[in-house]
C-alpha cells in the first residue's frame, strides 16, 4: 500500500508557521534559563547513571518473526518494536550512541539496543512522535530507510525524512485527530502538550503527537512526550479503553513539568486514558534530566500501587504480550 505525503500544514494548532499546544504555550526566557542552570549547578545526585550493567535480553529477528501477534519489546528510551496483525511496527527508533546532533558529545546510552539495525531485516511501519533528538534520530532513519515500508509522522516532520533520503511516497504526515491505515492497522495522531525543534531557529515548526494504534482485537496508546493536560481524558473518551499504554515517565523536573510529566502524573494520564496496563517509557537509556536514573520507575511503581494500576515493566529486549503481560518485575533495583 502506498501512502501519500499530505501536502500543506493546515493545522488548527499552527499560527504564522508555528504549532501551538491547546492549553499551554511553552516559552523559555532568560529567567527560566537561569533557574535551570542554577538547578544543574546545585543539584547532587546519587546515581545519574547505572552503576552495574542493565539486564538486557538480546533479541533476534527470528524471535520477532516467531512472536505471537500483539507482542512488543522495549528497545530503549521510547523505542518500541511491536508485532501487530503480522506487521512489524517500530516507534521512535533511536539506535545511535548519543541522543544529540553530534556523536562526540551529548547524552550517551546506558546500554546497547537489544537488536541492531543491521539485524532488522525489514520493518513494515515506523512511527515518529516528534522531532527531538531522543525520538527522531537521523542516523537511524537513514540506516532503516531501505528496510521500512512506510513512515507515519506528525505534520512537517516528513521534511526531515525527505532530506535524509526517504521517498515522499513512503511518508504519511498527520495532523492531530487524523488517521491512516496500513495493512489492517489504524494509526491516529492525537495531541500532546510539548514542543518541537532541533536547533536554535526552528522552534515549533513541526508538530508533536501521541499515537493511537489499533486493530479489531488490539488498542494501544503511545504518548511520545507530554506534560499532563486534559487531552489525555479526551483521548480516553474518544478512543479508550486501551489494552496497553506506553506513557512517558522520565526526564522530568518541576521547572519543566508543563512539557514532561512527573511520574505520578504519568500514572494519572494512564488512568485518564482508560488504560488496562501501563508500560512506562522515556527512561533508563539516556541521562536527560536531574533525577537518578532509576527514580522514574520507582515513583511510577509506588503511584501505580496506590492507584490500583497494573504495570508491565519488561527488561529491554524482552518480548511480552500486550493484552496479557506477565507480572511486573522491579529489574532496575538490581542495578542501583
Amino acid at each position: 500500500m502506498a501512502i501519500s505525503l499530505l501536502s500543506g500544514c493546515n493545522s488548527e494548532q499552527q499560527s504564522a508557521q508555528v504549532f501551538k499546544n491547546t492549553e499551554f504555550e511553552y516559552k523559555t526566557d532568560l529567567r527560566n534559563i537561569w533557574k535551570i542552570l542554577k538547578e544543574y549547578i546545585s543539584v547532587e545526585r546519587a546515581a545519574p547513571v547505572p552503576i552495574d550493567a542493565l539486564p538486557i535480553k538480546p533479541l533476534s529477528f527470528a524471535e520477532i518473526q516467531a512472536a505471537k501477534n500483539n507482542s512488543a519489546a522495549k528497545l530503549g528510551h521510547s523505542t518500541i518494536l511491536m508485532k501487530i496483525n503480522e506487521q512489524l511496527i517500530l516507534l521512535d527508533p533511536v539506535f545511535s550512541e548519543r541522543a544529540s546532533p553530534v556523536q562526540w558529545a551529548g547524552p550517551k546510552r546506558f546500554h546497547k539496543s537489544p537488536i541492531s539495525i543491521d539485524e532488522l531485516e525489514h520493518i513494515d511501519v515506523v512511527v515518529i512522535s516528534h522531532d527531538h533528538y531522543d525520538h527522531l534520530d537521523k542516523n537511524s532513519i537513514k540506516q532503516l530507510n531501505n528496510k521500512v515500508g512506510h513512515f507515519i509522522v506528525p505534520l512537517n516532520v516528513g521534511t526531515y525524512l525527505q532530506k535524509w533520503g526517504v521517498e515522499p511516497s513512503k511518508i504519511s504526515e498527520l495532523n492531530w485527530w487524523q488517521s491512516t491505515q496500513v495493512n489492517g492497522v489504524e494509526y491516529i495522531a492525537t495531541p500532546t502538550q510539548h514542543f518541537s525543534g532541533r536547533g536554535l531557529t526552528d522552534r515549533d515548526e513541526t508538530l508533536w503527537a501521541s499515537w493511537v494504534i489499533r486493530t479489531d482485537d488490539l488498542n494501544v496508546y503511545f504518548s511520545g512526550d507530554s506534560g499532563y493536560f486534559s487531552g489525555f481524558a479526551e483521548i480516553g473518551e474518544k478512543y479508550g479503553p486501551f489494552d496497553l499504554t506506553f506513557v512517558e515517565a522520565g526526564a522530568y523536573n518541576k521547572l519543566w513539568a508543563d512539557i514532561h510529566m512527573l511520574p505520578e502524573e504519568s500514572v494519572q494520564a494512564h488512568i485518564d486514558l482508560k488504560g488496562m496496563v501501563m508500560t512506562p517509557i522515556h527512561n533508563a537509556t539516556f541521562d536527560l534530566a536531574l533525577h537518578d536514573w532509576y527514580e522514574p520507575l520507582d515513583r511510577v511503581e509506588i503511584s501505580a500501587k496506590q492507584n490500583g494500576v497494573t504495570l508491565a515493566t519488561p527488561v529491554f529486549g524482552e518480548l511480552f504480550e500486550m493484552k496479557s503481560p506477565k507480572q511486573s518485575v522491579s529489574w532496575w533495583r538490581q542495578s542501583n
Side-chain angles (χ1 to χ4, degrees), residues 1-17:
M1 171 183 173
I3 301 181
S4 62
L5 177 65
L6 299 181
S7 61
C9 299
N10 57 354
S11 170
E12 295 177 0
Q13 291 73 43
Q14 190 179 23
S15 174
Q17 300 299 310

Side-chain angles (χ1 to χ4, degrees), residues 7 33 40 97 160 199:
S7 61
I33 293 171
Y40 269 91
E97 183 72 8
Y160 289 112

Side-chain angles (χ1 to χ4, degrees), residues 57-324:
K57 184 182 183 303
L59 181 63
S60 71
F61 192 73
E63 287 179 286
I64 298 166
Q65 288 182 306
K68 295 180 180 179
N69 269 318
N70 301 335
S71 294
K74 290 177 61 177
L75 303 185
H77 198 55
S78 295
T79 304
I80 311 294
L81 180 60
M82 304 191 298
K83 182 178 181 181
I84 300 176
N85 205 33
E86 300 299 335
Q87 309 300 306
L88 298 184
I89 302 161
L90 190 57
L91 311 180
D92 282 359
V94 176
F95 291 83
S96 292
E97 183 72 8
R98 297 180 185 271
S100 171
V102 296
Q103 287 302 295
W104 49 264
K108 188 176 181 180
R109 299 182 71 97
F110 301 162
H111 62 87
K112 291 184 178 180
S113 173
I115 187 169
S116 68
I117 291 178
D118 288 342
E119 295 170 293
L120 292 172
E121 296 179 14
H122 76 270
I123 296 293
D124 293 281
V125 174
V126 165
V127 179
I128 303 294
S129 64
H130 63 296
D131 71 5
H132 289 160
Y133 289 96
D134 56 325
H135 297 264
L136 178 61
D137 178 19
K138 176 181 177 179
N139 291 334
S140 294
I141 296 298
K142 293 179 74 171
Q143 293 176 59
L144 283 165
N145 184 15
N146 292 332
K147 301 183 178 189
V148 175
H150 311 290
F151 293 84
I152 302 176
V153 302
L155 287 178
N156 282 11
V157 174
T159 302
Y160 289 112
L161 272 58
Q162 290 184 73
K163 288 180 180 177
W164 302 336
V166 180
E167 290 293 327
S169 62
K170 291 173 60 173
I171 304 170
S172 177
E173 288 189 344
L174 300 185
N175 191 4
W176 291 345
W177 309 117
Q178 287 186 327
S179 67
T180 190
Q181 288 199 18
V182 182
N183 300 324
V185 181
E186 184 179 16
Y187 302 83
I188 305 166
T190 46
T192 65
Q193 185 167 282
H194 202 55
F195 71 107
S196 67
R198 291 171 70 85
L200 298 176
T201 61
D202 63 345
R203 180 68 172 267
D204 297 341
E205 293 180 359
T206 66
L207 188 60
W208 46 97
S210 57
W211 293 93
V212 174
I213 302 172
R214 63 183 185 177
T215 64
D216 291 340
D217 66 345
L218 181 70
N219 196 20
V220 174
Y221 175 80
F222 176 70
S223 73
D225 285 0
S226 185
Y228 180 75
F229 75 132
S230 67
F232 294 118
E234 185 178 6
I235 295 165
E237 287 296 323
K238 285 179 178 286
Y239 300 116
F242 292 97
D243 297 300
L244 182 75
T245 67
F246 291 103
V247 179
E248 172 207 295
Y252 52 80
N253 186 283
K254 63 183 183 295
L255 294 177
W256 56 83
D258 290 318
I259 56 165
H260 281 296
M261 292 179 281
L262 303 178
E264 296 76 19
E265 293 175 319
S266 300
V267 173
Q268 185 60 53
H270 166 83
I271 294 170
D272 293 351
L273 289 160
K274 301 182 179 180
M276 303 295 184
V277 180
M278 173 185 173
T279 294
I281 58 173
H282 205 256
N283 53 60
T285 300
F286 298 108
D287 181 20
L288 299 174
L290 295 169
H291 52 67
D292 289 332
W293 75 268
Y294 56 83
E295 180 188 294
L297 295 166
D298 267 350
R299 287 176 61 173
V300 164
E301 184 179 61
I302 291 168
S303 183
K305 288 178 180 178
Q306 292 172 342
N307 289 278
V309 167
T310 301
L311 281 185
T313 55
V315 301
F316 292 118
E318 179 183 356
L319 282 163
F320 68 100
E321 295 181 34
M322 289 184 280
K323 295 190 74 169
S324 56

